[in-house]
Amino acid sequence: MSFISYLLNGISLGSVYAIIALGYTMVYGIAKMLNFAHGDVIMIGCYIVFTLMTGMGLNPLLSILLAIVGCTILGVCIEKIAYKPLRKATPLAVLITAIGVSYFLQNFALLLFGSDTKSFTSVVQMEPIRLAEGRLVISGVTIVTVILCIVIVIALVLFTKKTRAGQAMLAVSEDKDAAQLMGVNVNQTISLTFAIGSGLAAVAGVLLCSAYPTLSPYTGSMPGIKAFTAAVFGGIGSIPGAFIGGLLLGVIEILGRAYISSQLSDAIVFAVLILVLLIKPTGILGKPIHEKV
């Protein structure tokens, strides 16, 4: 039963990585930018929920909704202020800017909330499910996280395929200039992408802190890096790829921590990524990128 328990924990953690990775993969797929400040948007979302629940006594669901709104606005502001002026800049300039935004958000949180690690109250009040005469316990957080991740992935796939805004995103991801000639508002489409990704970051952050109930200004750093790894693992730019990459990464991390070494679990994750990229550089579901000449 211990293996099944570890597997379920891995799927739960992987689902969180998958939700975060969706933000990375959408922004890269459409704007061709690596938003390394994404992990810190997660942290800001968690602090919003923490402040509203603990400091103001608001309902958890209302706190989450306000955090989603707050992170959505933050994501759009980051895109407008930091990334939009660099639309024609080199990838290195965008990367340095993203790192700068990340450090700005971390230090902003340090000034506002302090460096002390805070205890986060889980927003999931669902009772655990006990199977095999109580030997296998599935927590409410695990159940909610996995179900929510599946629902989000399905909703995003349908959104991109069935709606006008989703079709605009696909057009921009293929060719910005051609999409603009066809009447697509490229700036608005990219802003919408950042808004969706940042809103999902708030959801992922709340689920992460509910499963691992601590919060600090650095909460989003490592999960953000691992989620980016999951996006690359599954094939960055692919929504199903982000989902598969996140699940696999979570399972590998938990099983590595349980059966090999808790200290080496992160190293095992990145070693597997390197191995996969050596075999298939575009990731599991990634498509080869053809350079225009």
Side-chain angles (χ1 to χ4, degrees):
M1 287 299 170
S2 59
F3 173 78
I4 298 175
S5 179
Y6 292 140
L7 186 63
L8 290 171
N9 288 335
I11 292 172
S12 176
L13 179 60
S15 297
V16 174
Y17 288 158
I19 296 173
I20 304 171
L22 288 169
Y24 277 113
T25 206
M26 288 185 69
V27 168
Y28 181 82
I30 292 161
K32 297 297 182 286
M33 293 179 179
L34 295 176
N35 180 22
F36 280 115
H38 191 63
D40 299 289
V41 177
I42 296 168
M43 173 268 297
I44 295 295
C46 291
Y47 269 114
I48 293 174
V49 173
F50 175 82
T51 303
L52 293 176
M53 286 177 57
T54 306
M56 301 177 64
L58 290 186
N59 178 276
L61 184 58
L62 179 59
S63 299
I64 294 169
L65 291 175
L66 290 174
I68 292 171
V69 172
C71 285
T72 299
I73 294 171
L74 176 61
V76 173
C77 290
I78 289 172
E79 191 275 326
K80 293 291 186 187
I81 296 170
Y83 297 140
K84 186 178 178 181
L86 302 175
R87 201 65 57 77
K88 301 292 185 180
T90 62
L92 181 60
V94 177
L95 179 62
I96 292 171
T97 302
I99 294 171
V101 173
S102 174
Y103 279 114
F104 171 80
L105 292 176
Q106 286 180 15
N107 284 277
F108 175 77
L110 279 168
L111 288 171
L112 202 60
F113 303 105
S115 59
D116 295 337
T117 300
K118 295 178 171 53
S119 179
F120 190 91
T121 304
S122 175
V123 298
V124 180
Q125 305 300 324
M126 179 179 174
E127 290 294 321
I129 296 176
R130 302 180 185 275
L131 303 172
E133 299 178 353
R135 289 179 294 168
L136 179 63
V137 180
I138 307 174
S139 69
V141 174
T142 296
I143 296 168
V144 170
T145 301
V146 174
I147 292 175
L148 198 56
C149 177
I150 294 170
V151 169
I152 288 171
V153 170
I154 293 172
L156 281 178
V157 170
L158 292 176
F159 173 78
T160 54
K161 291 185 180 296
K162 302 293 184 181
T163 66
R164 180 180 290 272
Q167 292 293 311
M169 287 180 177
L170 292 176
V172 172
S173 69
E174 288 293 330
D175 191 318
K176 289 188 184 68
D177 295 331
Q180 194 163 18
L181 289 172
M182 296 298 292
V184 175
N185 189 325
V186 173
N187 290 329
Q188 184 177 320
T189 301
I190 292 175
S191 294
L192 178 61
T193 305
F194 270 85
I196 293 172
S198 299
L200 292 178
V203 175
V206 170
L207 293 172
L208 180 68
C209 286
S210 294
Y212 304 91
T214 57
L215 177 59
S216 78
Y218 307 105
T219 291
S221 297
M222 185 54 74
I225 292 171
K226 289 180 179 176
F228 172 69
T229 303
V232 175
F233 195 6
I236 194 161
S238 167
I239 292 175
F243 174 67
I244 293 171
L247 290 184
L248 288 175
L249 205 73
V251 170
I252 291 167
E253 181 178 339
I254 295 297
L255 293 182
R257 189 182 299 168
Y259 291 109
I260 300 175
S261 169
S262 58
Q263 285 82 17
L264 294 176
S265 60
D266 291 343
I268 293 166
V269 165
F270 294 117
V272 171
L273 172 69
I274 293 169
L275 184 62
V276 169
L277 293 182
L278 286 173
I279 298 169
K280 197 173 189 298
T282 56
I284 296 172
L285 297 183
K287 297 177 181 179
I289 299 173
H290 302 287
E291 293 289 339
K292 294 180 180 179
V293 293

